[in-house]
Amino acid sequence: MKRLIFVVGILLIIVVGFLYWKEKNQLLELTLTSPHNTAMYNQVEVKLEKEAPVYIEYWEKVSGRKFRTCVSSSKKDHRLDLLLLKADTEYEYQIVIDNLFHQKSKVLSFKTREQSPWLVNHWLKEERPHDPDALGDDGFILVCFGRLPGYMALLDNKGDMRWYWQIDDIGVRAASITPRGTILAMLRPFVKDFIDDEPMTPEEVRNEEHKKPMRRGSIGFAGGTGIAEVSLTGEMLRRLDMNKIHKEKEYQVIHHDLWMDDENHIYTMYRPKKVAEIEVNGKMVRDTLGGDGILMLDTLGQVLKTWSAWDVWDIEKDPYISRYMYDRFHMNGFCFDTDSNYLVSVPIEDQIWKIDRNTGKMLWKFGRGGDFKMDSTAYFSFQHTPYINPNGDLMLFDNGLYEMQSGALAFKLDEKNRTAETTLKVKLPKDKYTSRMGSAYLMPNGNLLQCSSKTGSILITDQSGKVLWESRMAYAPYRALYVSADLFKNYFTEIK
């Protein structure tokens, strides 16, 4: 028996040795570059003697935080991305050939360069709250810059830039995350809506014109003329310039929002007009009315379907049509409800409308004068950024034109009984009042990410409204979007 065990052991050693010899591979070439010349992104090119899968383990030399890239498929030439790196930071790393015996290279090192001066965010001031735990280690804040060069950037919990994408000839007004892990950007020409680009003092915000609507023409209302889809490695996968795709002027300008659904259709807002006879000062006149609607596009920018507010609006029963004729609705955002129908923000009415996505019919109106019984102290005014939060509630940013105080609201809607329960009411300090733009998102840790656009402030509050963290931008951000680190899970994961 002992002899048999000894023989089997020898055979196993021989087999294992043979397999190790057969799988033994050599790292022939290694190149590390920064493709977009940023401090936050490096790319590693690996050349092997034989085909094999590869991944990289890398860690911050000082803190020891360790990460692992995704596994590249079996081949000789590999290209792996190291994303969300910290500027001016030393890293160590190893190439791992992912065969049966996991061959590791020697420990190598690199240091990211200092952050580019124009990307340094000088938000950290002693007089401002800056609790790094307010956002958490696993989240980022996406901001857009609408002037030239336009850009999108991710801020971390210390206010540092960790991801950046730039486009030289046009600005970026707004952005959203797609189901396929890319970023959709609304491109807007420079000098359009320039009134919204500069931060204002609280006194300037309170003293500015508050009447509705603003009446800045078809290009206004956070207008854009194009769409870009950008990968997380900063590659522009497509750019759709609407004026080059469409001869119809109505389709050449989009505004406020854009989304992609699970079938890769793109949705955005446009400005359909309507020629009608209306009463002005006791006389019937024929004029062109300005409205809003939703475009459904394919990834080439071709229009698949449209919805117009004029399809559900009775002009003859509208007492304000002559007053607001050039901007009757000023729709400034939309999202998909849990049943995939549209939820549209209609700030002229201080309401959210639900629209059947297939038929285009109005299902209900929510807000002041709407179809739901609700707490009158939770009425909102000139609201922005509707969305369904992680609790399944309708959430929005209340600009608060009447009381001149802005903040987040969330509601649990009973659509059958037409009742609304207020689940969140988180006002910002009065000196953060923003009469236009703005956003509010509920984060996984229960805190709220809020954007006071007019004052240039991005804030994190708890649910009592206490400000935990504040970044004061040098411009007026249209909104600030919470982005989970899970967005990058197909590129890397942290090794706990």
Side-chain angles (χ1 to χ4, degrees):
M1 186 66 179
K2 290 182 179 180
R3 182 182 179 87
L4 178 61
I5 294 174
F6 176 77
V7 171
V8 170
I10 294 295
L11 289 174
L12 284 175
I13 291 172
I14 293 172
V15 170
V16 169
F18 174 76
L19 291 175
Y20 179 78
W21 172 80
K22 186 177 181 182
E23 282 207 335
K24 188 172 176 59
N25 210 332
Q26 277 194 317
L27 179 60
L28 300 179
E29 192 174 322
L30 178 66
T31 307
L32 187 144
T33 59
S34 181
H36 303 301
N37 195 29
T38 73
M40 303 89 76
Y41 171 36
N42 279 346
Q43 192 175 82
V44 182
E45 294 185 12
V46 176
K47 188 177 186 67
L48 301 178
E49 181 186 32
K50 296 186 291 187
E51 291 186 352
V54 166
Y55 64 88
I56 298 174
E57 290 182 352
Y58 60 106
W59 54 93
E60 297 172 15
K61 189 172 181 179
V62 174
S63 73
R65 287 189 70 181
K66 195 169 186 178
F67 307 90
R68 170 178 164 162
T69 69
C70 62
V71 180
S72 179
S73 59
S74 182
K75 52 192 173 184
K76 291 184 179 180
D77 297 309
H78 300 263
R79 182 176 295 170
L80 297 117
D81 300 297
L82 309 183
L83 299 174
L84 301 183
L85 299 175
K86 293 181 180 179
D88 196 24
T89 300
E90 288 188 79
Y91 286 86
E92 294 182 328
Y93 69 105
Q94 285 183 294
I95 310 299
V96 182
I97 301 174
D98 192 27
N99 52 28
L100 181 63
F101 296 97
H102 280 210
Q103 290 177 248
K104 289 190 176 185
S105 72
K106 66 179 181 180
V107 175
L108 305 164
S109 65
F110 65 88
K111 184 177 181 180
T112 55
R113 65 176 178 81
E114 293 184 2
Q115 187 62 278
S116 301
W118 63 90
L119 293 180
V120 176
N121 181 15
H122 300 285
W123 75 273
L124 188 58
K125 305 290 183 184
E126 286 301 322
E127 67 271 18
R128 298 178 201 155
H130 49 268
D131 178 1
D133 294 327
L135 177 65
D137 291 334
D138 296 328
F140 299 92
I141 301 169
L142 176 63
V143 294
C144 302
F145 184 69
R147 293 198 176 190
L148 296 182
Y151 69 75
M152 300 183 291
L154 288 178
L155 299 175
D156 67 10
N157 61 350
K158 294 183 179 178
D160 294 330
M161 297 285 187
R162 300 288 299 280
W163 183 92
Y164 176 77
W165 177 80
Q166 178 178 304
I167 186 166
D168 294 335
D169 66 320
I170 199 166
V172 180
R173 183 60 170 182
S176 66
I177 308 300
T178 72
R180 56 188 183 187
T182 57
I183 302 177
L184 274 185
M186 180 180 290
L187 308 178
R188 74 94 178 251
F190 179 55
V191 310
K192 303 301 183 182
D193 284 349
F194 62 89
I195 192 173
D196 285 336
D197 282 346
E198 296 291 340
M200 303 171 73
T201 66
E203 291 75 18
E204 288 173 330
V205 177
R206 285 194 295 269
N207 293 332
E208 76 164 357
E209 169 67 293
H210 287 274
K211 293 180 180 179
K212 300 182 290 186
M214 291 182 285
R215 297 184 181 178
R216 279 188 274 137
S218 294
I219 195 66
F221 321 106
T225 56
I227 298 170
E229 184 178 4
V230 180
S231 74
L232 298 183
T233 57
E235 303 301 321
M236 184 160 63
L237 305 176
R238 70 191 76 253
R239 175 173 173 172
L240 308 175
D241 291 299
M242 301 299 283
N243 62 331
K244 296 179 181 178
I245 298 172
H246 298 286
K247 294 181 179 179
E248 302 93 331
K249 287 189 175 181
E250 280 192 351
Y251 297 156
Q252 292 179 1
V253 176
I254 57 179
H255 65 94
H256 277 101
D257 245 335
L258 72 169
W259 300 99
M260 180 181 283
D261 67 13
D262 292 333
E263 297 177 343
N264 302 325
H265 299 133
I266 297 171
Y267 297 76
T268 188
M269 307 188 81
Y270 77 121
R271 296 275 295 158
K273 294 177 172 58
K274 182 179 181 67
V275 177
E277 288 192 356
I278 61 173
E279 185 177 339
V280 180
N281 297 325
K283 295 182 179 180
M284 297 301 294
V285 299
R286 189 173 179 82
D287 210 333
T288 301
L289 312 179
D292 295 284
I294 296 174
L295 289 178
M296 175 182 172
L297 311 169
D298 63 19
T299 51
L300 297 178
Q302 298 299 320
V303 176
L304 302 177
K305 193 174 183 180
T306 65
W307 172 82
S308 170
W310 296 121
D311 297 338
V312 298
W313 197 251
D314 191 338
I315 296 174
E316 295 181 358
K317 295 181 180 179
D318 184 352
Y320 302 109
I321 191 64
S322 61
R323 180 182 176 187
Y324 295 157
M325 59 189 296
Y326 300 119
D327 180 23
R328 180 58 188 91
F329 309 104
H330 195 95
M331 293 180 177
N332 62 12
F334 76 101
C335 67
F336 300 113
D337 202 351
T338 52
D339 59 7
S340 297
N341 289 317
Y342 300 132
L343 295 174
V344 187
S345 174
V346 190
I348 297 297
E349 298 292 294
D350 298 331
Q351 292 176 346
I352 303 293
W353 292 357
K354 182 163 183 174
I355 306 297
D356 189 297
R357 184 172 166 182
N358 296 314
T359 67
K361 292 182 179 179
M362 173 92 71
L363 298 177
W364 46 251
K365 301 176 183 179
F366 172 63
R368 196 184 307 265
D371 301 321
F372 286 73
K373 183 179 179 181
M374 62 181 294
D375 180 359
S376 60
T377 66
Y379 283 152
F380 42 89
S381 175
F382 215 79
Q383 71 287 337
H384 279 76
T385 324
Y387 90 111
I388 300 299
N389 72 20
N391 297 331
D393 299 339
L394 170 60
M395 192 162 173
L396 53 87
F397 183 77
D398 175 22
N399 288 83
L401 296 193
Y402 297 108
E403 65 275 23
M404 294 191 182
Q405 187 174 9
S406 307
L409 287 171
F411 304 91
K412 188 172 296 295
L413 302 183
D414 183 337
E415 297 185 65
K416 180 179 179 180
N417 297 306
R418 294 292 196 264
T419 59
E421 174 192 352
T422 306
T423 54
L424 283 174
K425 188 176 183 181
V426 187
K427 294 292 186 180
L428 292 175
K430 289 191 174 182
D431 64 354
K432 299 302 179 186
Y433 166 58
T434 176
S435 55
R436 311 291 179 193
M437 306 180 288
S439 59
Y441 296 95
L442 178 63
M443 300 189 297
N445 64 4
N447 291 335
L448 281 78
L449 173 64
Q450 303 202 53
C451 179
S452 170
S453 300
K454 282 291 188 178
T455 65
S457 298
I458 297 171
L459 309 107
I460 297 174
T461 71
D462 62 18
Q463 295 190 17
S464 72
K466 180 182 178 182
V467 177
L468 306 174
W469 188 97
E470 178 183 355
S471 176
R472 194 81 56 84
M473 309 302 285
Y475 61 97
Y478 173 60
R479 66 174 60 139
L481 179 67
Y482 175 78
V483 175
S484 170
D486 283 347
L487 179 64
F488 292 85
K489 64 185 179 182
N490 291 329
Y491 291 88
F492 74 91
T493 55
E494 183 171 1
I495 302 173
K496 301 294 186 179

